[in-house]
Amino acid sequence: MCGILAVLGCADDSQGKRAHVLELSRRLKHRGPDWSGMYQVGDSYLSHQRLAIIDPASGDQPLYNEDKSIAVTVNGEIYNHEQLRAQLSSHTFRTGSDCEVIAHLYEEHGENFIDMLDGVFSFVLLDTRDHSFIAARDAIGVTPLYIGWGIDGSVWISSEMKGLNDDCEHFEIFPPGHLYSSKQGGFKRWYNPPWFSEAIPSVPYDPLALRKAFEKAVIKRLMTDVPFGVLLSGGLDSSLVAAVAVRHLAGTKAAKRWGTKLHSFCVGLEGSPDLKAAKEVANYLGTVHHEFHFSVQDGIDAIEDVIYHTETYDVTTIRASTPMFLMSRKIKSLGVKMVISGEGSDEIFGGYLYFHKAPNKEELHRETCHKIKALHQYDCLRANKATSAWGLEARVPFLDKEFINEAMSIDPEWKMIRPDLGRIEKWVLRKAFDDEEEPFLPKHILYRQKEQFSDGVGYSWIDGLKAHAESIVTDKMMSNAKFIYTHNTPTTKEAYCYRMIFERFFPQNSAILTVPGGPSVACSTAKAVEWDAQWSGNLDPSGRAALGVHLSAYEQGHVLANIAAGTSKTPRMIKVVAPGVAIES
């Protein structure tokens, strides 16, 4: 992924202003360490920090049409760029960059081309012929983007908040699936899939169609001119990504350039569930496996950097981003610039453990719709920013537009967790890849219980974070939290700790409002907390808060009692076996 910053109509075309925009753009250099570019027309500036994945030799940005009357700065990957080039045969291309098609598509179709792009992207396009501009963000928000407004009438657009927060009177998240047009003076949603209305679908489950759609999504993401690999936790989602990539790598251009042996990467505390499972999957698939260890103290030491880069104070995101941040640095040190990851599956298929308590298929489907719509503030943000902090790109095939349409058209009755029928969470996905003749994965991996990344790296990671926060945040501080932090008031010492750090970096009210809030259990929305009465007293985003479901659930009341008494910093675990859920070890 790259970093983009655009300053449009700032009423200042001086050399001093150009130098200031360049300085702000450098705040995004971690996203694109390979090259920096700047284009200025009057009082409008397009800047770019490049991470070169496709056409490293000639694809520097900004990119232009033939006569340079149209300029565009892009962060993303356009997977169907070769097909689009073929449709633009009358145009002359300057580079081999997949993103150059955007300038030429605009020439042909004006603002009405965004849905033609198959990929993930954030871009700003400047039309110098009438001094207009458009900006757009991909369907789900895999790439981050913010928009702000200056007191001088300028519009600012940046891949990360740190590029514009000091210069805008107000700024906010650029909504996924939207286009901003200077001619229209506002946003327009370009992404309008059938599932977005949250109407309950009725298409029968077709395991082969689902499998083929996912295989196609993974194959697209093997498009690269640089070394790459897969993130492998040993859970279902990352293991399926790796299995499909291994099966289809041999015939790709990437294999001809980099070889047919796939590299896989895993991170965890010594002895963590993920390390054990990932090694087993890697051995089964024959990947070149790289295992990275970190200590709880390593993670705690990185928290401030993690919050600065992820630009959030959300507890779940910080817990999971930290191991990913540490692992990304190691991966980049090996010369790898792109990885494929498994984010998005739990939202699409109802894979989080709290879905065990979904009361009916209608509630389950609506919850999955809400979760997908919010991904840009949670897992997409984490996967992108925790890796981009070190100039590493993460690709997420589960969030492919075509795959989402296929998966979200299935009658949600098939996604319901039914122990009486032997269906655990994400059963439809597991069943689609349960091939007896040519197995994708060992059975016990294919049917391994969902483990959230922040849990799977080692249970003592979260326990250590809570103990660390306990040593920093006093009871008196917590008693005044509602007066100091009136929006999204921290309800735990861990949340209070992260909020303090966040506001040191991003003190503006606009920044505070970009982070979601509300009660959650095991990553649920606030609405889903109502599905089980006992959850309201055990609000924690860890999967272990799904009492009665997770095989290593928190003992109800034990943690709070020990903390109140000051007798324990590490919660004791108990085994709770969910009826009908058989997990082999």
Side-chain angles (χ1 to χ4, degrees), residues 189-407:
R189 184 152 60 89
W190 64 263
Y191 179 56
N192 296 285
W195 64 267
F196 212 84
S197 69
E198 301 179 16
I200 310 303
S202 57
V203 176
Y205 169 50
D206 182 343
L208 189 58
L210 188 67
R211 182 201 294 186
K212 287 183 176 178
F214 184 65
E215 288 183 290
K216 186 178 177 182
V218 173
I219 292 167
K220 286 179 197 177
R221 285 155 180 81
L222 296 175
M223 178 186 85
T224 177
D225 292 332
V226 298
F228 73 100
V230 295
L231 302 185
L232 180 60
S233 69
L236 174 68
D237 306 328
S238 65
S239 297
L240 284 179
V241 170
V244 173
V246 164
R247 193 165 288 199
H248 293 283
L249 178 59
T252 65
K253 294 178 183 178
K256 292 175 184 176
R257 184 183 292 257
W258 305 111
T260 57
K261 292 289 282 186
L262 184 69
H263 287 254
S264 57
F265 308 95
C266 185
V267 68
L269 304 176
E270 290 277 2
S272 69
D274 280 1
L275 292 180
K276 178 183 176 183
K279 185 176 290 185
E280 183 179 0
V281 174
N283 289 339
Y284 180 83
L285 297 176
T287 66
V288 180
H289 191 57
H290 308 264
E291 183 177 288
F292 306 120
H293 299 165
F294 76 103
S295 67
V296 172
Q297 191 59 54
D298 290 334
I300 289 170
D301 291 343
I303 289 291
E304 291 205 9
D305 284 340
V306 169
I307 292 173
Y308 174 75
H309 281 288
T310 58
E311 302 180 322
T312 187
Y313 51 84
D314 174 66
V315 171
T316 316
T317 304
I318 295 166
R319 287 175 175 180
S321 293
T322 305
M324 199 171 201
F325 174 86
L326 296 171
M327 175 171 56
S328 296
R329 188 176 192 179
K330 291 279 193 179
I331 293 172
K332 187 62 184 291
S333 73
L334 298 175
V336 172
K337 295 176 75 173
M338 184 272 282
V339 290
I340 309 177
S341 190
E343 280 76 15
S345 172
D346 292 311
E347 287 75 12
I348 294 168
F349 295 106
Y352 291 109
L353 296 183
Y354 72 89
F355 278 96
H356 278 255
K357 299 299 180 75
N360 52 58
K361 72 176 187 178
E362 291 81 11
E363 289 256 8
L364 181 143
H365 181 71
R366 281 190 286 269
E367 177 74 2
T368 60
C369 291
H370 296 165
K371 292 292 291 180
I372 296 170
K373 291 175 183 179
L375 266 168
H376 67 286
Q377 294 178 292
Y378 295 101
D379 283 19
C380 287
L381 179 151
R382 168 181 56 78
N384 185 283
K385 292 182 178 178
T387 54
S388 292
W390 300 107
L392 181 69
E393 175 176 307
R395 295 181 178 175
V396 284
F398 280 109
L399 297 181
D400 181 85
K401 280 196 302 182
E402 293 179 19
F403 178 74
I404 292 175
N405 286 342
E406 177 70 34

Side-chain angles (χ1 to χ4, degrees), residues 67-81:
D67 63 3
K68 287 197 170 185
S69 61
I70 296 167
V72 61
T73 181
V74 190
N75 169 35
E77 304 290 340
I78 309 302
Y79 300 120
N80 64 336
H81 73 105

Side-chain angles (χ1 to χ4, degrees), residues 357 529-538 556:
K357 299 299 180 75
V529 173
E530 300 172 7
W531 291 351
D532 191 305
Q534 67 176 329
W535 287 348
S536 61
N538 192 59
Q556 189 174 20

